[in-house]
Amino acid sequence: MEEQQKEFMHKAIQLSLLGSQDGIGQGPFGAVIVKDGKIVGQGHNMVITNNDPTAHAEVVAIRDACKNLGTYELQDCEIYTSCEPCPMCLSAIYWAKLRKIYYGNTRNDAAEIGFDDAFLYQEIPLPLSERKIAIEPLGREEAQEAFKLWAKKEDTNNC
């Protein structure tokens, strides 16, 4: 492994240690985003502090990188994360178009200390009618108006 890659992973792990400290208690996860050999975004879990269930380390790092770079796409970037991303974070990584993921701990390691997201992996492929949270369509005809307007626009990026 390249020395610089080790340094980036070390930084992600250092951020994960912040969440493990007394008084912070955010969860032991950290992440950095790198572009052209430089860290452009970083974060550790901020779920409790921000009262935001989406404030996982990877999402916080993506938000930071996007703000710092002035863009919503990170296709020229890589993410170093202290743990294999959960389904939400993995989706955010794909939406941000990061080109590569490096991770330390596995999702099984996370499950062993109480951060088990296996149920999410099980829910996703289920038919809507079999999921634990009820989900049903409502108001599609009215909702279609925004899609029709969008489809007529000539200056869309399809974000």
Side-chain angles (χ1 to χ4, degrees):
M1 180 184 285
E2 188 179 311
E3 194 61 36
Q4 196 173 35
Q5 290 172 318
K6 288 180 183 178
E7 289 177 27
F8 296 139
M9 182 56 75
H10 176 73
K11 177 64 175 175
I13 292 167
Q14 291 302 115
L15 288 165
S16 75
L17 291 169
L18 285 176
S20 298
Q21 294 176 7
D22 289 339
I24 297 175
Q26 299 294 309
F29 305 95
V32 297
I33 297 186
V34 174
K35 179 177 182 178
D36 299 328
K38 295 183 180 164
I39 294 175
V40 295
Q42 64 183 20
H44 63 86
N45 268 36
M46 298 295 294
V47 171
I48 297 167
T49 298
N50 292 358
N51 289 321
D52 179 355
T54 69
H56 289 196
E58 296 90 340
V59 174
V60 172
I62 288 169
R63 290 172 181 163
D64 189 43
C66 288
K67 178 182 167 197
N68 292 335
L69 296 174
T71 184
Y72 60 89
E73 291 184 338
L74 302 171
Q75 65 269 15
D76 296 330
C77 301
E78 300 170 338
I79 188 167
Y80 293 77
T81 179
S82 64
C83 188
E84 182 180 355
C86 74
M88 177 187 70
C89 293
L90 185 60
S91 295
I93 289 165
Y94 273 92
W95 276 111
K97 299 180 181 170
L98 286 143
R99 68 177 175 202
K100 190 162 187 177
I101 302 166
Y102 296 94
Y103 67 93
N105 294 308
T106 69
R107 62 177 141 169
N108 293 328
D109 296 332
E112 288 177 12
I113 62 164
F115 292 92
D116 191 358
D117 54 16
F119 76 97
L120 291 171
Y121 288 100
Q122 294 164 2
E123 283 285 299
I124 291 168
L126 291 176
L128 299 181
S129 62
E130 294 179 24
R131 293 187 182 170
K132 291 191 185 333
I133 296 177
I135 182 170
E136 65 180 79
L138 179 65
R140 182 170 181 255
E141 187 175 313
E142 183 181 358
Q144 283 286 305
E145 291 305 313
F147 279 18
K148 289 175 186 173
L149 286 172
W150 185 263
K152 290 179 186 175
K153 289 179 63 121
E154 293 182 19
D155 62 341
T156 64
N157 290 326
N158 286 331
C159 53

